[in-house]
Amino acid sequence: METHHHPLLSFLLLLLLPFSSHALPLSTNNRWIVDSATGQRVKLACANWPGAAETMLPEGLDRQPLPNIVAAIRRLGFNCVRLTYATYMVTRHAGDRVGRTFDGLGLGSVKDEIARFNPLVVRMTHLQAFDAVLDELGRQGVMVDIDNHVSKPMWCCREKDGNGFFGDEYFDPKEWLLGLTILARRYVYKPQVIGMGLRNELRGERQSEATWRKYVTLAGNAIHVANPNVLIFAGGISYASVLSFLKKKPLSTTFGNKLVYESHWYPFTAGPEKVWTEKPLNQLCRAKIDGYVNTTAFSFTAGGSAAVPLFVGEVGIPGTEVKKSSDNFLSCFATWAAENDLDWAWWGLQGGYYFRDNRTGMDEYFGALSYFWDRPRNPFLLNRLRLMQLKNQGNPTSRVGKAYLLFHPQTGDCMINNNLREIYAGHCGRQSSRFLYAGDGSPIMLAGSNYCLRAGGDGVRVQLTTACNAPESKWWRVSSSKLHLAAKEEKTGEYLCLNRDSVFTSDVFTRKCVCLVGYETGCMNGGDLEPTAQWFRLVETNVLYTN
């Protein structure tokens, strides 16, 4: 296939981080996933790669050669893949040939395209093809969480599709346990398989806490006996959005240093997506984060040995024609994810599907890759994920002192000092400036210097100054979201907030604050004010980047 590379793509690819190797297998230490050999924290920044539909083959092999797809994963800045599969692929169709399955579905033309780009695959069995994908991911240094998405191969997930909870029409717990055990044994010598997801988005009328505990424990034990190397990812109920029942009675296991809880978060989780444009956004963002922490993310905030790592196994918005509601959700999520340095997986990698919803060659608007799997669908959107892809916290033996990155979630950029007199917005990474901040009413100091940020006035670019006791150099986290950083103007005493006007300029100004507490009328509830241009987060880090 002839490919055409956009100049912006080439520029962005140069900025993406190189991959460091980890001594596998991985384990857990309190809230962190760590390298078992060294104890150093390993950050999972993954892309979902679907393979659980009727074709039982990881998507995209009809659009690009397999090595090209894996190389694209790395270029996009992801260091791992959440690779989905169906139980029946393992227990009923493991020996079926890929080509015959496509013929049986009336997808002969799609099979021909797979044969053009990946000629060996159509002659493989389904398990051999799955192995081939895992092997290529391993060759290129990409870690893999193999995720049991459904039992009967199909698009997931509907409330009553027979795949939702233990005992449903297609969800036989014994067959499910058998499939997990087979794959755990099969991949004991494939170190790139760092984890196994027990089941995607449990849901439906049958769901219960007691049944969840029973089968998570059974499955975790079975996997751990068969393959003690892998992490065990356990998602909650109600579409992987609820784990709050563990507050009263934590899960007791024999595989404790391998357990990771999994949750999913989309703009439409816990309510309609339209709320992200209908409610005052500062209040809504704070409420949504508090709700998510209460139902799921409390698991890593417990502190000490009671903490369990959390993996946000699916988060995403459409990359094509990004709606304002999705844009606002991502700005809110990114601030929280960066602040907590979460492990996570973007939904999804795929540019499209072999066959979905009775359509051949369906596009995927949520895909990180284009329809032809050869370039980013939306490079600007991917830039917003960059700080979330970097490891910022958690190295227990780090000699790097704690500092902060100044992050603008609406664009994904970090603040950079260029000449000790001003700051500007640029790509998060090695050049990002590090700041020190002692809390509300304190200056934001440029680390390693006696310079601090100064608000020069409404519509004036932010400067660096040595007059750090001046009113314009003392900063507060204001608004109900605590995402506005504001200093008081000396003459009027009014707050001036940091403000990034546009992705097309690197300038950072101070402007009159919008949507502060008590002044939120018109802010996303029928008015025309919205605060995300003024959202900035001080993100803690004890890591020095090498890219």
Side-chain angles (χ1 to χ4, degrees):
M1 174 184 294
E2 183 182 5
T3 60
H4 306 276
H5 294 287
H6 193 282
L8 179 59
L9 168 61
S10 300
F11 173 69
L12 289 175
L13 295 185
L14 291 174
L15 296 169
L16 292 175
L17 57 156
F19 280 55
S20 58
S21 59
H22 306 293
L24 303 174
L26 304 181
S27 296
T28 67
N29 182 2
N30 299 329
R31 68 149 293 190
W32 303 114
I33 295 170
V34 298
D35 177 324
S36 295
T38 67
Q40 293 297 299
R41 192 256 173 127
V42 177
K43 169 76 174 276
L44 300 184
C46 311
N48 279 273
W49 190 350
E54 291 91 336
T55 57
M56 294 177 288
L57 182 70
E59 304 284 348
L61 301 183
D62 61 333
R63 311 279 175 86
Q64 291 290 324
L66 175 58
N68 290 12
I69 295 175
V70 178
I73 293 169
R74 294 190 47 158
R75 288 197 304 270
L76 294 176
F78 298 108
N79 65 2
C80 73
V81 159
R82 181 175 179 256
L83 185 65
T84 76
Y85 72 94
T87 297
Y88 288 8
M89 181 196 78
V90 182
T91 58
R92 304 187 186 191
H93 301 291
D96 294 357
R97 302 285 171 181
V98 170
R100 294 197 67 177
T101 296
F102 275 76
D103 286 337
L105 292 168
L107 301 176
S109 61
V110 180
K111 181 190 75 172
D112 291 343
E113 289 300 297
I114 296 172
R116 182 160 74 96
F117 287 108
N118 298 279
L120 298 179
V121 168
V122 294
R123 297 194 294 272
M124 292 178 175
T125 66
H126 284 285
L127 266 184
Q128 287 172 342
F130 201 74
D131 291 347
V133 171
L134 289 175
D135 290 343
E136 186 59 37
L137 288 163
R139 270 191 291 271
Q140 297 197 40
V142 180
M143 298 176 286
V144 189
D145 161 32
I146 55 174
D147 179 76
N148 180 241
H149 222 59
V150 290
S151 290
K152 181 181 179 180
M154 64 171 63
W155 176 250
C156 182
C157 302
R158 293 186 297 274
E159 189 76 8
K160 297 180 179 180
D161 60 8
N163 268 312
F165 203 72
F166 308 101
D168 280 0
E169 181 179 3
Y170 307 118
F171 195 169
D172 176 9
K174 291 183 179 179
E175 186 172 9
W176 169 73
L177 286 168
L178 175 62
L180 292 172
T181 304
I182 290 171
L183 290 189
R185 288 175 179 158
R186 186 177 184 91
Y187 299 135
V188 71
Y189 297 116
K190 291 188 186 293
Q192 69 270 32
V193 180
I194 53 92
M196 295 184 65
L198 299 185
R199 186 68 169 203
N200 181 68
E201 297 195 350
L202 293 165
R203 61 200 178 276
E205 297 173 351
R206 294 177 183 269
Q207 64 181 1
S208 73
E209 171 192 341
T211 306
W212 183 93
R213 289 180 182 276
K214 173 184 175 180
Y215 285 114
V216 165
T217 302
L218 284 172
N221 287 335
I223 290 171
H224 193 59
V225 169
N227 185 346
N229 295 326
V230 294
L231 298 172
I232 295 163
F233 293 89
I237 60 175
S238 299
Y239 291 86
S241 68
V242 175
L243 284 165
S244 51
F245 51 83
L246 294 172
K247 290 180 180 180
K248 295 181 180 179
K249 184 181 177 182
L251 188 67
S252 178
T253 73
T254 59
F255 48 88
N257 72 335
K258 296 292 183 178
L259 176 64
V260 178
Y261 289 132
E262 179 176 333
S263 66
H264 298 173
W265 200 4
Y266 288 97
F268 44 80
T269 299
E273 182 173 345
K274 65 182 181 180
V275 73
W276 289 96
T277 56
E278 293 181 346
K279 295 287 184 73
L281 195 52
N282 281 316
Q283 295 177 7
L284 179 69
C285 180
R286 183 72 266 158
K288 286 287 188 179
I289 290 172
D290 288 347
Y292 193 74
V293 170
N294 184 55
T295 57
T296 302
F298 66 89
S299 62
F300 76 81
T301 63
S305 60
V308 177
L310 178 72
F311 175 61
V312 182
E314 289 185 20
V315 61
I317 66 171
T320 305
E321 298 181 0
V322 177
K323 296 187 296 184
K324 191 61 182 175
S325 55
S326 297
D327 182 80
N328 290 338
F329 160 77
L330 184 58
S331 291
C332 180
F333 174 82
T335 61
W336 182 71
E339 179 183 27
N340 291 283
D341 207 17
L342 291 176
D343 299 287
W344 61 283
W346 186 253
W347 185 274
L349 173 70
Q350 67 277 17
Y353 302 91
Y354 306 123
F355 182 71
R356 176 183 159 186
D357 296 335
N358 293 316
R359 292 172 55 190
T360 301
M362 183 176 174
D363 195 9
E364 174 52 273
Y365 296 148
F366 278 74
L369 290 172
S370 69
Y371 180 80
F372 291 106
W373 294 62
D374 62 345
R375 69 191 73 185
R377 182 176 293 266
N378 186 334
F380 297 106
L381 174 58
L382 291 171
N383 184 64
R384 296 176 67 180
L385 309 181
R386 179 166 171 74
L387 186 60
M388 293 163 54
Q389 292 174 319
L390 295 168
K391 180 175 71 172
N392 295 306
Q393 301 177 28
N395 280 350
T397 61
S398 174
R399 296 182 180 180
V400 178
K402 183 179 78 171
Y404 295 95
L405 305 175
L406 192 48
F407 173 55
H408 186 249
Q410 187 186 49
T411 58
D413 285 340
C414 292
M415 301 306 106
I416 301 171
N417 161 243
N418 59 355
N419 60 7
L420 289 183
R421 298 301 298 168
E422 61 186 20
I423 62 169
Y424 65 96
H427 295 285
C428 297
R430 179 175 55 84
Q431 292 183 326
S432 301
S433 293
R434 297 163 63 85
F435 297 91
L436 304 177
Y437 182 60
D440 287 343
S442 302
I444 298 176
M445 304 293 302
L446 183 64
S449 79
N450 60 348
Y451 285 90
C452 62
L453 300 188
R454 176 181 179 273
D458 185 20
V460 178
R461 290 189 65 179
V462 176
Q463 300 292 315
L464 288 162
T465 181
T466 56
C468 296
N469 289 320
E472 298 94 337
S473 301
K474 296 181 179 180
W475 296 84
W476 280 262
R477 290 165 293 192
V478 295
S479 81
S480 51
S481 67
K482 300 300 182 184
L483 290 173
H484 292 68
L485 283 168
K488 288 183 179 179
E489 190 173 29
E490 184 174 14
K491 292 181 179 180
T492 65
E494 292 184 346
Y495 279 126
L496 296 173
C497 281
L498 289 182
N499 194 104
R500 172 86 186 279
D501 288 337
S502 169
V503 69
F504 299 107
T505 174
S506 62
D507 295 339
V508 180
F509 297 85
T510 49
R511 298 195 186 278
K512 290 181 179 179
C513 300
V514 298
C515 304
L516 299 190
V517 176
Y519 298 92
E520 294 188 319
T521 301
C523 294
M524 307 309 296
N525 57 350
D528 57 359
L529 292 178
E530 59 95 357
T532 51
Q534 294 185 347
W535 277 4
F536 286 81
R537 174 67 83 185
L538 286 160
V539 174
E540 183 180 329
T541 182
N542 65 350
V543 174
L544 290 179
Y545 307 123
T546 57
N547 62 305

